[in-house]
Amino acid sequence: MMRHFLRLFLIFSLGLCLEARSLVFAPIPFFNANKVLEDFFPMVNYLEHALDENITIHYEKKYDDLIAAFKANQVDIAYFGPLPFLTLQKSFPYALPIITFHESDGKNGYRCALVKFGGDTLVNIPQRELKVALTQPLSTCGYTNTKNLIESSFHLNLDTLLYRYVGTHDEVALSVVRGEFHMGGIKESIAHEYASLGLEIIDTTPLIPGFSLVVNTQTISAEKIAKIKSILLSTPKEVYEKWGKDINYGMSETNTDMFQNLKRDMETMNVPLSGSF
């Protein structure tokens, strides 16, 4: 009898803990801190009013720090790219993607692009001198997909070239434009943003699952998760069109089948945590 009472007490206490504090939302380290507020505050504010509770924005500069915070139950909801999400879920099965944001073309996926400066031919550069700019080790358009694109476009192995992690997609684009690197790997939509500066797309990947809203099932009840999903999926177009540029084209329920190719890449590829020079 006492054991049964203790079990009920623990379940009740856990329920109180799940709902005791305000929700914590974290975007991925895709933008600078100021850009985070500009792009995500309208959505967070909309959720706050719909849920009738406060939501705090938590920002980390690196993917691995965000993943660590999520696993430590310091983050309840996060905006993740597919590769960082799979990395998280591999060691923390309580991460659940519920909503995928659409791209500007209305699709629930995007492509990574291998880019160079328009005036560079790359033909006469010795292989050992080719420099490649990458975002971060856990970035979807970082090492993994850039390696695949270089192999398919030039029949070269990224591991034999000079590569370096420079941080954000924007910094990769600018470093190639400035001539500091011969090539770089970034999101296709960002490559188009820098086309006016001379950035040119060499090749793109097949469609990759879009960025998703991922919830922590250890810190949010199933009822609240269902409510969050329902609120977002029923958000009027005139509302979400005013959100940040990467989350204002609509959304749909996450299709987990789209992650299978990336999962296979993760199993066969050992991603280095630092560059080669």
Side-chain angles (χ1 to χ4, degrees):
M1 182 72 177
M2 180 59 69
R3 182 178 297 176
H4 179 67
F5 173 78
L6 181 60
R7 181 172 178 272
L8 288 176
F9 174 77
L10 289 173
I11 292 173
F12 176 72
S13 299
L14 178 60
L16 287 179
C17 291
L18 286 175
E19 309 297 342
R21 61 172 173 80
S22 62
L23 291 173
V24 177
F25 167 77
I28 63 167
F30 192 68
F31 316 96
N32 60 46
N34 291 330
K35 191 67 173 170
V36 166
L37 290 176
E38 180 183 332
D39 283 352
F40 287 96
F41 179 75
M43 181 191 73
V44 171
N45 187 52
Y46 180 77
L47 266 179
E48 276 187 321
H49 284 87
L51 292 170
D52 193 26
E53 64 178 285
N54 293 330
I55 300 177
T56 303
I57 295 180
H58 176 103
Y59 180 71
E60 295 286 356
K61 293 182 178 180
K62 296 181 179 179
Y63 289 107
D64 48 1
D65 291 335
L66 174 53
I67 288 172
F70 200 104
K71 291 168 66 174
N73 292 331
Q74 296 170 4
V75 173
D76 305 302
I77 311 170
Y79 176 76
F80 270 110
L83 190 59
F85 159 67
L86 288 175
T87 302
L88 167 65
Q89 194 186 52
K90 188 175 182 180
S91 59
F92 191 75
Y94 308 103
L96 176 69
I98 58 171
I99 297 292
T100 296
F101 292 93
H102 296 174
E103 296 294 307
S104 58
D105 58 7
K107 295 179 180 178
N108 63 342
Y110 67 98
R111 290 177 169 82
C112 295
L114 182 65
V115 299
K116 70 179 184 68
F117 186 67
D120 296 342
T121 62
L122 306 181
V123 175
N124 298 319
I125 303 172
Q127 178 179 331
R128 63 183 180 278
E129 295 178 13
L130 280 172
K131 295 181 179 180
V132 183
L134 304 174
T135 48
Q136 296 187 37
L138 296 182
S139 171
T140 307
C141 292
Y143 176 89
T144 304
N145 277 299
T146 303
K147 181 181 174 72
N148 288 338
L149 286 170
I150 287 176
E151 185 173 335
S152 62
S153 300
F154 299 101
H155 304 292
L156 295 176
N157 185 344
L158 175 60
D159 297 332
T160 66
L161 310 181
L162 300 173
Y163 63 89
R164 179 179 293 168
Y165 297 110
V166 301
T168 67
H169 292 246
D170 295 287
E171 185 54 35
V172 170
L174 289 171
S175 67
V176 173
V177 170
R178 291 193 297 259
E180 298 166 0
F181 292 85
H182 301 105
M183 292 182 286
I186 57 177
K187 194 177 178 185
E188 183 186 22
S189 61
I190 296 178
H192 289 307
E193 292 178 14
Y194 287 90
S196 61
L197 296 181
L199 200 67
E200 184 178 288
I201 294 176
I202 300 171
D203 196 7
T204 60
T205 64
L207 203 65
I208 293 170
F211 282 60
S212 298
L213 207 65
V214 178
V215 296
N216 187 336
T217 60
Q218 277 201 327
T219 63
I220 311 180
S221 67
E223 293 77 14
K224 184 168 287 186
I225 291 171
K227 188 174 182 180
I228 292 170
K229 183 192 292 187
S230 175
I231 289 168
L232 290 172
L233 289 177
S234 60
T235 303
K237 184 177 181 181
E238 59 269 22
V239 172
Y240 67 68
E241 281 184 331
K242 297 176 182 177
W243 296 353
K245 69 182 181 70
D246 288 291
I247 56 174
N248 67 344
Y249 301 111
M251 64 208 95
S252 56
E253 189 169 355
T254 299
N255 177 6
T256 55
D257 291 340
M258 291 182 68
F259 291 95
Q260 294 309 311
N261 288 336
L262 271 179
K263 278 186 177 180
R264 283 193 289 270
D265 284 342
M266 285 181 65
E267 293 170 357
T268 58
M269 216 175 275
N270 184 25
V271 179
L273 299 180
S274 59
S276 64
F277 79 105

